[in-house]
Amino acid sequence: MTLSEGPVAAPLLSVRGLTKLFGSFAACNAIDLDIAPGEIHALLGENGAGKSTLVKMLFGVLQPSAGQIVWQGQPVTIGSPGEARNLGVGMVFQHFSLFEALTVAENIALSLDPRISLSKISDEAATLSKAYGLPLDPKAHVADLSVGERQRIEIVRALLQNPKLIILDEPTSVLTPQEADRLFETLFKLKAEGRSVLYISHRLEEVRRICDRATVLRHGKVTGACDPKQETPASLARMMVGSDVAEVLRDGGAALGDIRIEVNNLSVTARTPFAVALKNVSMKVRAGEVLAIAGVAGNGQGELFDALSGEYPVAEDEAIRIRGKAVGRTGINGRRLLGAGFVPEERHGHAAVSAMALSDNLLLARSQSDKKAFLAGGAFSVIRFDAIRSATKRICEAMDVRKSGEDPQAGSLSGGNLQKFIVGRELDRQPSVLIVNQPTWGVDAGAASRIRQALIDLARSGSAVVVISQDLDEIFEVATNIAVISEGRLSEPHPAETLTLERIGLLMGGIHESQSIAENASGAEAAHAH
Amino acid sequence: MRIELEKRARVSTLFSIISPLLALLLTLVFGAVMFWFLGKPPLGSLYVYFIEPLLEVWSLHELAVKAAPLILIAVGLSICYRSNNWNIGAEGQFTIGAITGSILPVLYPEWHSWAILPLMMIMGMIGGAAYAAIPALLKTRFNTNEILTSLMLVYIAGLFLDWLVRGPWRDPKGYNFPVTKSFQVEAVLPEILDSGRAHWAFIFALVAAVALWFMMRFMLKGFQVSVLGQSERAGRFAGFSARRMVWFSMLLSGALAGLAGISEVSGSIGHLQPAISPGYGFTAIIVAFLGRLNPLGIIASGLVLALTYLGGEAAQVALEISDKAARVFQGMLLFFVLSCDTLIHYRIRLVLAGNQTKEVKA
């Protein structure tokens, strides 16, 4: 350990040389980690750094290939999550494992001894949730709850086992700033009781705010241990990324041109029971403008993207206009032919087919828009592989896509490189309208800054860009105007300069957060006045 | 202790290529064991089963006769399976194709024209495609599982044929046997060579295989098949319609199965009867997978499976074992093909509890 100020008390948990191999790939490579009782310990790292693999080993989901876990001075083998719980380790996963059709109490009961009665669980859950400032109605159905409330169920579920160590995997990635604040209060309460928290995140500000110590991972190895309060975000980022991240450049105030994409009172009913209906969505995006749509996950972003892209055309032709032409009923390729480009949120199995080569994935998005270049033989539509390969090469060079081999499978690229390719695939066409959903979700900082820069440059060159994102830092970096989506409703756009994090947070919370609206009545009313 | 399938970091190219051969070898080894248990000389039996049929010209012709329907059906199925549509009912489409293709010779036995054969083939294809359209319609309309519907329709087709040849289509001069009139000479598919029975169905099979190989390898349509087969959502993003692909793949495979049906009846049998297929439609599923869903590979695997039919017949005579042995061989072959493919992508690992933590130096 290169730690300057070591933990005073004997560590609750120490990990020595913990390694996990997947085939020949070391997801975690000889990790050392100490967690003291009563500390909030951050585990920092980019996506793919090995954070999740490490905590899965601590929680018994994965078995280490080598190394030792010492719990309160005793070497232990954690064979399953059950064993981890018995030791006193609780975990709140990034992706919740809740049954939407069941109530809160029923969901909690599923993870407990079946002999405990449901009413007892309800009572205990209610007591606990009150004690820790996690308001929760045990009888509510999970389907009706917001993401923040669902996370509370997971936390209460972990707390019911009276754990000494609670692991939280990226807990704030799905929360509004206000919800996150409330979570932090809970964490401080836990700390005051002498419990330890292992807090996984890649949000540096947050870590600096709440964590006592931090361990930084990169490429499966520990690259630093520090007191985050002593560091700057830049120095933390350096530890995470290994080099300085390029800052996104923008020169404000480019003149806006004609309206490129226009949505008028678009309403779409929910396609599945758990989808979100779009209600009276209207927006206008001009050439040269980046409209960012902020919102907490699951508030209709995916549905809005589906409607804008034409993957699921809408009933009303006039509801969507691209470059003045009504396209509501036109499919995705018809809209591409009008000059629109699309980047969906999910890379694997939506934007790209993982098992196909990059060149095939280029054809995937552009088989109709670039028919003349990529297809020959008239009705037979014979694929011109040479043309597609050279275009693939061009895109990879333009976006600095790092890959092994000339034309590897999309699935073999890292998230950041594949995303650069997927964005580059559209930019290569010089789209006059670009719709992007979560452009840098799960992407390393280097690729993220490159992608954001590309979006800004595209707008500057006279295209209209719509960026749907949950990442407020990203939104402030790229946006000319910002609108917020909440429960399928889109707010009026506001110029980016006039908005603060606080205001957006309130807009994002929507009507779910009745409490915070009451507290900040004036701000919230202004937001819903449209 | 437990057994885990662990994904391999790299897929060996060498083993991907030899996997079907490995499966074949394992089938032979376990086939020998089976003969040994049956009290037959293992090597001698394998010789009768797999080598002897290849030594004479007439039996090579028989091989082509049996391989033709297998290849025709399997290349169609390979497109279906690649696009993630699981048509299991080729046997039924084969039967219906045989029936609709036989309408002209059965109802107009006096019509003597060169046009009758092409019309029969076309009507057979239409019949097979129409029968495959039923599961396609059910899938696109009601989201029904096509595996179940296409399979159940096989038995309906079989019983319908049975009723036809025992009832309305029975040859009145046929001594009460359940057969139709023998087809007029213009309605019989001609033989390719004078030396044996192999007829034009084998040519159809080769043409279909090469054409579909070209489509899958070079044409946008083939690309659509692969994309939609691997990810419907990515296909939607590309602007390809999964519904239309259900129709395309089901109608194509149905038409090819129908063509196989009428070719078999016209070229090999010469009339309709209750049993027109020794399970070609089901065996073709094995052919498709053994050929790695590649139309050219299917030509080779079709010949191999045809050999199990011939060997089965020879073994009945020479070794006095049941023709069910052919079924056992086909089953083993499918089992080993699928296992070899699985083991190319995964390795088996025995996990013993308590051996994961390595001692660290104090």
Side-chain angles (χ1 to χ4, degrees), chain A residues 325-346:
Chain A
K325 207 168 171 302
V327 293
R329 284 202 288 270
T330 309
I332 185 165
N333 278 328
R335 300 187 195 191
R336 283 186 176 121
L337 286 170
L338 285 170
F342 306 97
V343 178
E345 171 179 6
E346 181 59 46

Side-chain angles (χ1 to χ4, degrees), chain A residues 16-21 26-31 57 63-68:
Chain A
R16 288 288 171 270
L18 207 63
T19 301
K20 177 67 188 178
L21 300 171
C28 283
N29 194 350
I31 305 262
M57 288 192 283
Q63 298 307 315
S65 311
Q68 195 176 36

Side-chain angles (χ1 to χ4, degrees), chain A residues 14-19 57 62-70 74-79 83, chain B residues 351-360:
Chain A
S14 351
V15 162
R16 288 288 171 270
L18 207 63
T19 301
M57 288 192 283
L62 289 174
Q63 298 307 315
S65 311
Q68 195 176 36
I69 302 172
V70 179
Q74 298 293 319
V76 288
T77 304
I78 305 174
E83 289 176 34
Chain B
V351 179
L352 303 165
N355 72 339
Q356 302 92 351
T357 43
K358 204 178 71 180
E359 284 303 312
V360 288

Side-chain angles (χ1 to χ4, degrees), chain B residues 66-78:
Chain B
K66 295 232 165 6
L70 289 176
I71 296 170
L72 262 178
I73 300 169
V75 289
L77 290 183
S78 74

Side-chain angles (χ1 to χ4, degrees), chain A residues 270-527:
Chain A
R271 222 170 31 245
T272 64
F274 297 116
V276 177
L278 297 177
K279 294 158 201 142
N280 280 319
V281 171
S282 295
M283 64 189 207
K284 288 190 178 88
V285 190
R286 295 171 179 278
E289 176 182 354
V290 180
L291 175 70
I293 297 178
V296 176
N299 270 292
Q301 287 97 330
E303 290 79 359
L304 178 61
F305 180 86
D306 289 345
L308 290 179
S309 69
E311 286 177 278
Y312 289 90
V314 298
E316 190 59 54
D317 210 26
E318 297 289 332
I320 302 171
R321 287 176 169 274
I322 290 177
R323 295 170 76 194
K325 207 168 171 302
V327 293
R329 284 202 288 270
T330 309
I332 185 165
N333 278 328
R335 300 187 195 191
R336 283 186 176 121
L337 286 170
L338 285 170
F342 306 97
V343 178
E345 171 179 6
E346 181 59 46
R347 287 184 278 282
H348 297 285
H350 189 175
V353 180
S354 312
M356 285 189 159
L358 281 187
S359 58
D360 287 333
N361 277 298
L362 173 62
L363 183 65
L364 182 80
R366 290 170 53 175
S367 69
Q368 296 310 305
S369 57
D370 294 64
K371 208 181 209 165
K372 285 205 185 89
F374 292 161
L375 298 177
F380 282 102
S381 294
V382 177
I383 300 167
R384 291 184 54 194
F385 289 103
D386 50 341
I388 294 171
R389 280 204 198 95
S390 65
T392 305
K393 209 171 155 207
R394 184 172 74 223
I395 292 166
C396 290
E397 277 164 14
M399 290 300 285
D400 185 29
V401 177
R402 314 235 174 108
K403 55 189 168 58
S404 56
E406 186 61 29
D407 192 13
Q409 285 189 356
S412 73
L413 268 64
S414 75
N417 280 308
L418 182 56
Q419 187 72 3
K420 281 194 277 184
F421 178 79
I422 290 166
V423 174
R425 174 173 81 180
E426 305 301 329
L427 295 178
D428 184 59
R429 286 176 52 211
Q430 294 290 330
S432 64
V433 175
L434 184 66
I435 318 268
V436 193
N437 192 5
Q438 316 296 358
T440 60
W441 179 252
V443 157
D444 62 89
S449 101
R450 178 153 202 130
I451 288 169
R452 290 172 193 164
Q453 187 67 59
L455 296 177
I456 291 172
D457 293 346
L458 180 70
R460 200 187 291 155
S461 73
S463 304
V465 180
V466 178
V467 176
I468 304 172
S469 177
Q470 292 163 45
D471 185 337
L472 292 179
D473 295 337
E474 168 169 273
I475 283 180
F476 278 109
E477 235 170 275
V478 301
T480 325
N481 291 309
I482 301 176
V484 172
I485 190 166
S486 172
E487 299 198 321
R489 291 197 180 82
L490 190 69
S491 76
E492 287 288 321
H494 304 274
E497 314 84 78
T498 66
L499 280 178
T500 60
L501 221 56
E502 196 78 283
R503 279 258 342 258
I504 293 199
L506 289 173
L507 291 172
M508 274 162 69
I511 53 173
H512 256 315
E513 293 295 310
S514 46
Q515 216 175 324
S516 58
I517 286 174
E519 283 161 17
N520 303 280
S522 55
E525 267 167 28

